[in-house]
Amino acid sequence: MSIIDTSPVTGAADPKPARRRPRPVRGSRPGWFVYASLGVVLLAALVPYYWALLIGSGDSATIRDPEMSWIPGGNFFANAAAVLGNPAVNFWAGLWNSIISSALIAASVVFFSTLAGWAFAKLRFRGGPWLLLFVVATMAVPTQLGVVPLYILFSELGWTGQIGAIIVPALTSAFGVFWMTQYLRQAVPDELIEAARVDGASSFRTFLTVGVPAARPAAAMLGLFTFVTAWNNFFWPFIVLDRQNPTLPVALSLLQSNYFVDYSIVLAGVLLSTIPLLLLFVFAGKQLVSGIMQGAVKG
């Protein structure tokens, strides 16, 4: 009886196929077109500032000079000193009022918008969708329609000329409520809220421990946009405030109240008014970008 050996041959091992390196996914890195487009956008954004620097560093005849040099002159600090030292402009009071009002408005809008957005996005109550629709519909009402009633109201309250007259009407924002509602609706899963309720957390406790950390990226962007909008607001502060207690845009508008307008001084003042915003972007930009990236990863 013959025995057949069925064991595998132990000769040379079968050659393994060489591993191929994974090819980079097309579109994973931006190409030259993206960088070129961003460069064009950046250049378009910087041109107005450079133009203001050219005029603001010259004299009163620079803006009418057909052979104006594209190199900034040496009069910017003199023009800036003329703005800062002008008693009719009251620059420092306007700067302080702008900082206080913009910071309070931004903080209030972020708080109330996050609170209302959480209610509309994650709480179920009768009439909620219709109420949200009403809030969004108020965005279609022009701001100018409320100027006369607001002025009459604050005049009767004795608030005309006071900084509170520009803070109180801007404490809430329909856009902010809509912004936070849409973000929280997608960023926070319902299962996380149910888990917090099972642990015994109240509705407000759930909002603080679950909603607020998840809303930080959107709240940071909303706060930044609101601060810049309040800082640049001119129409309502120009109506309700006076020269003794202005905001910065209202104070700078007084530079053009004379018969002769020196645009070198005006644009020097405009550049001075943008310095706080640039500092805000420099110091808060990293935190804003990191918050946005965290929100994108979590979402």
Side-chain angles (χ1 to χ4, degrees):
M1 183 175 180
S2 61
I3 300 176
I4 301 175
D5 188 7
T6 59
S7 60
V9 180
T10 58
D14 297 335
K16 295 182 179 180
R19 293 183 179 179
R20 296 181 180 180
R21 295 182 179 179
R23 295 181 179 179
V25 180
R26 181 176 297 178
S28 60
R29 293 184 179 181
W32 65 269
F33 180 76
V34 175
Y35 287 108
S37 301
L38 292 176
V40 171
V41 172
L42 178 62
L43 182 63
L46 292 178
V47 164
Y49 290 98
Y50 189 72
W51 175 261
L53 179 61
L54 289 178
I55 305 300
S57 61
D59 51 22
S60 58
T62 302
I63 195 172
R64 295 184 297 271
D65 188 3
E67 299 180 357
M68 182 184 65
S69 175
W70 287 93
I71 300 176
N75 295 331
F76 177 78
F77 292 103
N79 295 332
V83 175
L84 299 178
N86 193 335
V89 174
N90 208 356
F91 181 88
W92 295 110
L95 177 63
W96 176 251
N97 288 336
S98 292
I99 293 175
I100 293 297
S101 61
S102 300
L104 290 178
I105 290 172
S108 175
V109 166
V110 168
F111 175 75
F112 288 114
S113 298
T114 306
L115 202 61
W118 176 262
F120 284 125
K122 295 302 175 181
L123 300 183
R124 301 294 179 262
F125 56 94
R126 183 175 299 178
W130 293 103
L131 185 57
L132 178 62
L133 180 62
F134 173 77
V135 171
V136 174
T138 59
M139 297 169 57
V141 179
T143 307
Q144 291 78 5
L145 292 180
V147 169
V148 175
L150 278 177
Y151 186 84
I152 295 175
L153 174 62
F154 287 119
S155 179
E156 293 179 353
L157 294 176
W159 284 20
T160 54
Q162 303 296 325
I163 196 66
I166 66 173
I167 295 177
V168 172
L171 291 178
T172 59
S173 169
F175 171 76
V177 173
F178 177 74
W179 172 280
M180 297 305 300
T181 300
Q182 295 301 110
Y183 182 84
L184 290 172
R185 186 171 291 169
Q186 300 178 1
V188 181
D190 295 335
E191 293 79 8
L192 194 59
I193 300 176
E194 294 297 332
R197 290 176 178 174
V198 169
D199 291 339
S202 61
S203 297
F204 190 70
R205 181 69 176 178
T206 304
F207 167 72
L208 292 179
T209 56
V210 177
V212 172
R216 284 179 182 174
M221 295 303 300
L222 178 62
L224 178 62
F225 291 153
T226 305
F227 186 93
V228 174
T229 302
W231 183 276
N232 294 327
N233 189 17
F234 173 77
F235 181 68
W236 174 241
F238 180 76
I239 294 175
V240 75
L241 298 181
D242 51 26
R243 294 189 175 187
Q244 286 71 33
N245 196 31
T247 57
L248 196 55
V250 176
L252 294 178
S253 68
L254 301 177
L255 293 171
Q256 306 183 53
S257 60
N258 300 324
Y259 292 102
F260 173 74
V261 179
D262 190 347
Y263 285 100
S264 62
I265 296 180
V266 172
L267 292 179
V270 170
L271 288 176
L272 291 176
S273 68
T274 61
I275 292 178
L277 295 180
L278 295 177
L279 293 177
L280 176 64
F281 277 97
V282 169
F283 288 104
K286 185 177 181 180
Q287 287 75 11
L288 290 173
V289 173
S290 62
I292 294 172
M293 295 303 297
Q294 291 177 3
V297 172
K298 291 179 181 179

